[in-house]
Amino acid sequence: MTTSLRDSVLSALQACGVDTTILDHGDLRTRTPITGEELFTLPADSTESVDQAISKAHEAFLHWREVPAPERGNVVRRWGELLREHKRDLAILVQSDAAKTLSEAEGEVQEMVDICEFAVGQSRMLYGKTMPSERPGHRLMETWHPLGVIGVISAFNFPVAVFSWNTALALVCGNTVVWKPSELSLLSALGAHALLAQAVTDCGQPADIHHIVLGERAVGEQIVDDPRVALISATGSTRMGHEVAPRVAARFGRYLLELGGNNAAIVSPSADQDLALRGVVFAAAGTAGQRCTTMRRLIIHESIAEEFTEKLVKAYRTLTIGDPRDEGVLVGPLVHHTAFENMQEALRQAEAEGGEILCGGKRVMAEEMPEAFYVEPAIVRMPSQSATVHQETFAPILYILTYRDFGDALDLHNDVPQGLSSAIFTADQTEAEIFLSARGSDCGIANVNIGTSGAEIGGAFGGEKETGGGRESGSDAWKAYMRRATNTVNYSGELPLAQGVKFL
Ligand code: UN1
């Protein structure tokens, strides 16, 4: 088992075109949460090499910004083709880094293919508006221009998809990219990056339009503080966002943050319970609770709470937990020991606050794999939305709360610091509409009769409050990677001033 994991990762790296001579050198350890074993070591970037990567990306930008956008799109089209071709290879790396099932790992690579296709189309649609000027013989319009070097800092749980949302759009918009992947997911990062490098070469474009830098916190800080990096797009914890945002703002850089979520679903008495059940189980227990969109709170109408909770506990008991490479497994391990400790601490606190653990929470397979942290997803009935429920614990814990009036359900729903994703299960159209209205969900994503996770790339992705306010991926998220110029052109031969002002 041990050798085969290393071997399959090695051949996937080779298939993606990673230079494997760098493996087994350096201090960065690549540990897979599947078994807890260390697969390879990798060399970390130095302060000098990060500086050089930024310099080269900046140099490349000066040329890349003048390449016509649809031609820039060709690189991203080619990247998408290669990702499609190497879907299984890259998924094996994602699986090794993030311990996802193959279906979920392939889904992550599919998200990359999807955003590439979206970005290729976008490369012909970097639209600016034309507005009627108040002055005769004048044209008023806006044009969009690239920002420069974009620093992408990504998290372990979606190790390559979120990078691709940023990079596919950033590149078609005329920016260059320096990427610092999570130190927990370096192998899939190398794979995704090698495929992009191949696409750049195939299209005859300069290699320096994208760089990957490997390392720990200091590497991230260096990118955050470098004035040549025009935009920092960072995904991770709210704690990380609290550090990044003021530092970038202090140098008047731009930031795009996708931070913690505390996503809830309301289950109304009219809901199709079977559908709701399936939606909740996938969103709450899928990916072992390690999505930023994972459902962490369930707000059930008191009239159906007992019945629905019972069904849910039963469904949880059928979930197969284990090595995500094995057929039929739905829940893999937590990323590391600290994640496990955090989960245990949250469960202890929840109990101290009057919570009742209805199922799960225990570690399994500890004897066979002492360095891997498999847990049973937990359901905890809470008497109120206590301090623990307000926190995001990056593990599969679903807190159950009940409500009597719909207004109270909305209050409970919005009464957390985070605002990423949300859902309502209902057959009552008025409730659904209210949930989506200004007095409904305060999140960046609000769904009806579908869970909180598993968003498509076509919509803008991100959230409010402590989630950081950024929007990535679809819709008009491309605008975050560009600057807007307002242009007034005077072809009148006169010089009339706006607002009728007279001067000279
Ligand atoms: C994340 O967890 O950071 O909506 C991203 C989803 C995925 C993306 C999750 N498409 O669950």
Side-chain angles (χ1 to χ4, degrees):
M1 176 80 83
T2 297
T3 348
S4 80
L5 183 51
R6 192 179 141 106
D7 284 352
S8 62
V9 165
L10 187 60
S11 46
L13 285 166
Q14 281 161 345
C16 291
V18 174
D19 168 15
T20 48
T21 59
I22 61 167
L23 299 177
D24 295 330
H25 297 288
D27 299 331
L28 292 174
R29 296 156 188 277
T30 64
R31 172 192 166 277
T32 174
I34 298 177
T35 55
E37 75 194 278
E38 184 182 301
L39 294 179
F40 303 100
T41 57
L42 288 170
D45 271 277
S46 62
T47 312
E48 293 72 34
S49 67
V50 172
D51 185 70
Q52 217 176 39
I54 298 171
S55 286
K56 286 184 177 168
H58 187 258
E59 273 296 301
F61 165 68
L62 301 178
H63 157 76
W64 184 241
R65 65 181 171 182
E66 295 199 66
V67 174
E71 208 177 304
R72 298 193 296 244
N74 287 337
V75 169
V76 173
R77 176 188 294 108
R78 182 70 191 128
W79 191 25
E81 284 167 3
L82 290 169
L83 286 164
R84 210 182 260 284
E85 217 175 286
H86 293 282
K87 186 170 176 174
R88 176 61 61 89
D89 299 320
L90 191 52
I92 286 170
L93 301 178
V94 170
Q95 183 171 58
S96 171
D97 280 345
K100 297 186 184 194
T101 63
L102 194 58
S103 172
E104 289 199 47
E106 289 194 330
E108 169 151 9
V109 182
Q110 186 58 44
E111 271 198 51
M112 302 178 77
V113 173
D114 294 345
I115 194 68
C116 284
E117 289 177 358
F118 182 94
V120 173
Q122 194 68 63
S123 72
R124 291 185 182 269
M125 295 186 291
L126 303 176
Y127 298 138
K129 290 181 172 132
T130 303
M131 303 76 137
S133 169
E134 66 189 50
R135 287 169 285 186
H138 281 61
R139 182 151 67 91
L140 187 57
M141 61 177 187
E142 56 190 22
T143 43
W144 291 87
H145 305 291
L147 293 172
V149 180
I150 311 296
V152 178
I153 297 175
S154 58
F156 84 88
N157 66 323
F158 267 79
V160 286
V162 176
F163 152 68
S164 73
W165 299 349
N166 283 284
T167 302
L169 287 176
L171 289 177
V172 299
C173 290
N175 304 287
T176 56
V177 175
V178 175
W179 178 27
K180 188 225 167 273
S182 163
E183 55 270 37
L184 301 175
S185 54
L186 298 171
L187 298 174
S188 56
L190 290 176
H193 202 258
L195 292 170
L196 174 54
Q198 183 64 50
V200 173
T201 309
D202 289 354
C203 293
Q205 296 294 347
D208 284 330
I209 60 175
H210 66 108
H211 283 265
I212 187 168
V213 287
L214 306 184
E216 303 200 356
R217 190 191 161 94
V219 170
E221 288 178 353
Q222 195 179 339
I223 301 172
V224 162
D225 291 336
D226 194 309
R228 293 167 298 177
V229 181
L231 167 73
I232 293 288
S233 178
T235 307
S237 65
T238 295
R239 195 166 48 85
M240 179 271 281
H242 269 303
E243 293 182 36
V244 168
R247 288 171 81 143
V248 182
R251 60 173 176 87
F252 292 104
R254 292 191 188 194
Y255 55 79
L256 196 172
L257 301 176
E258 200 244 288
L259 310 173
N262 195 345
N263 318 299
I266 295 174
V267 185
S268 134
S270 66
D272 173 337
Q273 287 198 24
D274 289 338
L275 182 146
L277 199 67
R278 296 211 317 274
V280 171
V281 177
F282 172 63
T287 333
Q290 298 173 112
R291 288 191 189 219
C292 56
T293 50
T294 290
M295 191 183 293
R296 311 208 177 274
R297 299 176 296 136
L298 197 57
I299 303 166
I300 319 179
H301 191 267
E302 58 179 19
S303 66
I304 56 159
E306 214 178 290
E307 178 193 355
F308 191 79
T309 307
E310 222 168 84
K311 287 186 195 167
L312 196 60
V313 170
K314 229 163 132 189
Y316 263 50
R317 295 220 158 102
T318 67
L319 292 172
T320 318
I321 304 154
D323 186 324
R325 292 169 300 167
D326 293 346
E327 197 68 38
V329 164
L330 292 175
V331 181
L334 294 177
V335 65
H336 48 33
H337 183 239
T338 311
F340 170 69
E341 283 297 323
N342 291 344
M343 179 178 182
Q344 298 310 301
E345 179 57 23
L347 291 172
R348 274 195 294 275
Q349 274 182 31
E351 279 190 301
E353 290 164 354
E356 185 191 346
I357 300 176
L358 302 179
C359 68
K362 294 206 175 51
R363 187 168 169 197
V364 292
M365 296 162 51
E367 268 170 38
E368 303 100 284
M369 287 194 272
E371 297 304 322
F373 298 90
Y374 290 82
V375 285
E376 296 167 342
I379 300 176
V380 186
R381 182 159 44 211
M382 295 300 295
S384 66
Q385 193 149 262
S386 57
T388 309
V389 183
H390 275 82
Q391 293 162 17
E392 177 192 47
T393 301
F394 220 61
I397 306 176
L398 181 64
Y399 298 109
I400 307 245
L401 301 153
T402 55
Y403 75 93
R404 181 169 300 171
D405 302 318
F406 187 56
D408 295 341
L410 290 178
D411 288 346
L412 269 177
H413 181 276
N414 290 343
D415 178 30
V416 289
Q418 312 82 351
L420 178 57
S421 187
S422 61
I424 186 168
F425 290 93
T426 184
D428 179 330
Q429 196 185 354
T430 307
E431 280 181 354
E433 291 294 339
I434 291 173
F435 187 72
L436 302 183
S437 77
R439 70 180 162 104
S441 162
D442 62 1
C443 292
I445 299 170
N447 297 335
V448 177
N449 293 329
I450 188 170
T452 51
S453 66
E456 302 173 16
I457 61 92
F461 185 97
E464 304 303 328
K465 302 192 288 186
E466 286 191 359
T467 304
R471 291 297 185 279
E472 298 172 315
S473 180
S475 185
D476 63 353
W478 62 273
K479 290 180 177 170
Y481 306 88
M482 300 201 89
R483 62 182 174 84
R484 177 195 332 232
T486 301
N487 314 123
T488 309
V489 181
N490 173 11
Y491 58 94
S492 70
E494 313 280 323
L495 195 66
L497 300 180
Q499 298 90 39
V501 170
K502 300 283 177 234
F503 194 82
L504 273 184

